[in-house]
Every structure is written in structure tokens, then in C-alpha cells.
Amino acid sequence: MRLDKYLKVSRIIKRRTVANEACDAKHVSVNGKPARASYDVKIGDVIEITFGANTSRFEVLNVNEYATKENASLMFRQLN
């Protein structure tokens, strides 16, 4: 699954366009490297998102095409 779609489906970022723009602005890195929106997310990847002074890290636990509100939080684990 594409990185921008994963961020939206897992509800880490609310809209896919915002996720795409964050990737383009190099605010999103995967496994320590800046990632493009087209990056193919795999289980075990560590996603780091930086907005201003705030940095959030997430580990990918599951990759689903669709997720309900209740199941979205099961797709990742927040590391910090």
C-alpha cells in the first residue's frame, strides 16, 4: 500500500492530500530515510512524521486496504 494511503487509512493523518503534501515537503521518513508518497509500506517499517517541533514515530503492525474507526488503531503502534 502507498505511504500516503496508509497514513489516511490508519487515521494517523486525516486526509490523503495532507499526507501527500507532508511527504513532498520531506516531513515523513520511513526507517530513517525521507520517503515519497508512493513508498510501498511493509509490516515492521518505522514511520516518523515531523510537524514543526513535534515528531511522532509509529511502527507498522498491519497493512489493510480498509479499516473501521475501531480497527485503525490496530494498524500501528506509537513509539514515543
Side-chain angles (χ1 to χ4, degrees):
M1 178 187 302
R2 289 174 53 102
L3 177 58
D4 57 346
K5 185 172 181 182
Y6 179 83
L7 292 172
K8 188 238 181 242
V9 170
S10 65
R11 291 179 166 82
I12 294 173
I13 296 180
K14 285 189 177 190
R15 284 183 234 104
R16 188 169 176 179
T17 55
V18 175
N20 202 328
E21 290 168 1
C23 292
D24 290 343
K26 301 196 187 312
H27 292 296
V28 181
S29 62
V30 178
N31 299 327
K33 299 176 187 172
R36 299 179 67 158
S38 60
Y39 175 82
D40 189 29
V41 176
K42 297 173 280 307
I43 295 173
D45 284 346
V46 176
I47 300 171
E48 187 171 316
I49 303 172
T50 304
F51 280 118
N54 299 330
T55 301
S56 300
R57 296 178 68 216
F58 305 94
E59 180 182 2
V60 178
L61 300 177
N62 200 352
V63 179
N64 294 332
E65 288 293 319
Y66 306 101
T68 62
K69 186 177 179 182
E70 294 78 23
N71 294 338
S73 63
L74 301 175
M75 293 178 67
F76 63 90
R77 177 172 56 112
Q78 190 159 5
L79 298 176
N80 59 343

